[in-house]
Amino acid sequence: MKTTGDLALVKKINTAIVLDAVLKNAPLSRAQISEQTGLNKATVSSLVQDLIDAHLVIETGPGESSGGRKPVMLVFRGSAGYAIGIDLGVNYIRGVLTDLEGAVISGRELTLKAHEIEDVLPKLNDCIESLIAAMPESPYGLVGIGIGVPGIVNDQGDILFAPNLAWSHVPMEAIMRERFGVPVTIDNEANAGAQGEQKYGAGRGIADQIYVSVGIGIGTGIILGKELYKGASGFSGELGHLSIEMNGKPCRCGNKGCWELYASENALLEQAEPLGYGDLEALLAAAGRGDEKVIELLRRIGECLGIGIANIVNVFNPEVVIIGNRMSRAREWIGDAVRDAVSRRTLSYHREKLQILFAELSEQSAVRGAAYYAISRFFVKIKDGG
């Protein structure tokens, strides 16, 4: 019995190795998989057939010959199933349907004006249902849902505290799992944004990076050594609540002088009110027309953003800081001010190799990262033989 169990475990491990090779390096031939993994050709051939039978790998035709018969090339079948990613913002719900390679199939965005849970949940459900309706037929169907939220989330997927939504102790994962009957992953939206940029955007291949999500508030996703850093209790990344003003404005979190009170979209809109502007779109349009007062306001917001980023750089010494979410659209007017503030306020050794980038995925970082949570959870299940 022990031998049988050991053989089953070895097969499971080897199947995961072969699947990883295809996911990372396709198109590949069976011989190339054998070379890359060290598994013998007969084992690879058997495992590849299992993956073909499981609708996860397909043959795409002949590759280049190295002297003999042309090899049959293999690729991962991205259309074997689909995932949904949701970015639940303070003033919006953004959703995407992706295939298992993260390619976006369909998207949806709704405006949020009321924040009570009984108002938000129907809109959230409607967004997810419309994405399910757009899903093509596939062997695995909907493999999972990932949701990024602007707050502190525990391991059970409960939203413990979302100050800008005025939510506390909302069992979001349980609510969504019961409603849709698939695995659900809930995380802070800045963590989701960091994952999105690392997997699909400006952070690809970078080991140490900080993603700064600048929307109504500010959140950060910290990736160290290519792994998301979550801290001892899983709540790291609330750097929007760094104090940058000792006796500053009171924050909903209970602190004073929090960074997000001076450098977020909310801070921008508060200061833009006397100028007669009520939303980010109008401000960006005015800046584009050359409105000097708006351009100066954006520059000041950029400087405040740079002050907080300088603190982050001095603490973490990252290779890259990526600015994402809605304020990334203002890059033309805040970028220089951010970089100037960082240059003035960081230790020279820390900024020597530092790059400050804007999110390649723009406002889509968190929603793409949320979908990736669902995809990666599906792969874990497959590799475990589920």
Side-chain angles (χ1 to χ4, degrees):
M1 290 298 291
K2 186 176 185 300
T3 304
T4 305
D6 286 348
L7 289 174
L9 177 61
V10 168
K11 183 176 181 181
K12 187 164 72 174
I13 292 168
N14 288 343
T15 301
I17 290 169
V18 170
L19 180 58
D20 268 338
V22 175
L23 285 168
K24 290 173 182 172
N25 301 306
L28 285 174
S29 68
R30 289 166 174 81
Q32 287 171 325
I33 294 172
S34 178
E35 287 169 20
Q36 289 186 12
T37 63
L39 297 171
N40 70 55
K41 291 181 180 179
T43 298
V44 167
S45 194
S46 172
L47 295 175
V48 163
Q49 189 57 51
D50 289 344
L51 291 170
I52 290 172
D53 293 343
H55 309 288
L56 293 170
V57 168
I58 54 174
E59 297 178 333
T60 60
E64 291 296 317
S65 171
S66 57
R69 214 168 38 173
K70 287 187 176 182
V72 176
M73 305 307 284
L74 304 159
V75 296
F76 177 71
R77 183 181 176 184
S79 60
Y82 296 89
I84 286 174
I86 299 289
D87 176 7
L88 173 58
V90 177
N91 49 9
Y92 64 88
I93 297 173
R94 186 176 294 125
V96 293
L97 175 75
T98 76
D99 67 16
L100 295 181
E101 292 179 293
V104 175
I105 307 300
S106 182
R108 181 90 190 273
E109 186 160 344
L110 307 172
T111 300
L112 274 186
K113 292 183 179 174
H115 293 149
E116 288 73 19
I117 189 75
E118 57 269 21
D119 294 312
V120 174
L121 274 180
K123 285 199 164 191
L124 182 57
N125 292 337
D126 177 59
C127 181
I128 292 170
E129 284 163 0
S130 69
L131 293 169
I132 291 172
M135 189 172 66
E137 287 289 321
S138 64
Y140 292 94
L142 181 63
V143 303
I145 298 168
I147 303 177
V149 299
I152 296 172
V153 179
N154 68 11
D155 290 342
Q156 289 74 49
D158 303 326
I159 302 170
L160 300 181
F161 183 48
N164 291 318
L165 289 172
W167 287 6
S168 62
H169 297 282
V170 177
M172 183 61 78
E173 182 179 326
I175 292 169
M176 291 291 104
R177 196 173 60 245
E178 184 176 346
R179 174 70 185 243
F180 294 102
V182 296
V184 177
T185 303
I186 313 290
D187 200 0
N188 177 272
E189 66 85 20
N191 286 342
Q195 296 279 42
E197 286 296 320
Q198 184 192 40
K199 185 69 180 173
Y200 308 115
R204 282 184 296 249
I206 298 171
D208 298 301
Q209 56 185 287
I210 311 290
Y211 173 81
V212 182
S213 170
V214 190
I216 290 297
I218 295 178
T220 53
I222 303 165
I223 291 178
L224 303 175
K226 297 191 177 178
E227 297 292 331
L228 185 69
Y229 176 74
K230 301 196 78 168
S233 303
F235 306 143
S236 71
E238 292 298 328
L239 301 185
H241 297 284
L242 284 172
S243 294
I244 66 166
E245 193 74 50
M246 187 170 72
N247 293 308
K249 305 174 189 176
C251 183
R252 291 182 187 183
C253 76
N255 193 8
K256 284 184 179 179
C258 289
W259 181 28
E260 70 174 37
L261 300 177
Y262 302 89
S264 63
E265 181 183 347
N266 216 31
L268 173 67
L269 296 179
E270 280 180 9
Q271 295 175 52
E273 200 171 330
L275 302 178
Y277 295 101
D279 59 55
L280 180 62
E281 288 70 21
L283 282 162
L284 296 180
R289 294 192 302 270
D291 187 316
E292 289 297 334
K293 288 183 178 178
V294 172
I295 290 170
E296 174 58 21
L297 173 55
L298 286 166
R299 189 201 66 76
R300 290 202 308 270
I301 292 291
E303 183 175 16
C304 290
L305 190 54
I307 290 169
I309 289 173
N311 288 329
I312 291 170
V313 169
N314 284 336
V315 172
F316 290 103
N317 185 28
E319 296 172 69
V320 165
V321 173
I322 301 170
I323 301 169
N325 207 341
R326 284 172 55 83
M327 283 287 286
S328 66
R329 295 163 60 190
R331 62 187 298 172
E332 183 178 340
W333 300 284
I334 68 174
D336 287 345
V338 169
R339 292 185 179 95
D340 287 348
V342 171
S343 181
R344 290 196 313 272
R345 293 170 180 268
T346 49
L347 298 167
S348 60
Y349 295 106
H350 288 61
R351 65 174 179 269
E352 199 172 279
K353 297 180 180 178
L354 173 71
Q355 292 184 77
I356 296 175
L357 305 175
F358 284 82
E360 196 175 303
L361 303 176
S362 189
E363 296 177 69
Q364 299 281 316
S365 309
V367 75
R368 296 284 300 280
Y372 174 67
Y373 279 137
I375 294 166
S376 60
R377 189 165 170 174
F378 169 73
F379 285 142
V380 168
K381 181 182 173 186
I382 289 294
K383 290 170 186 176
D384 282 345

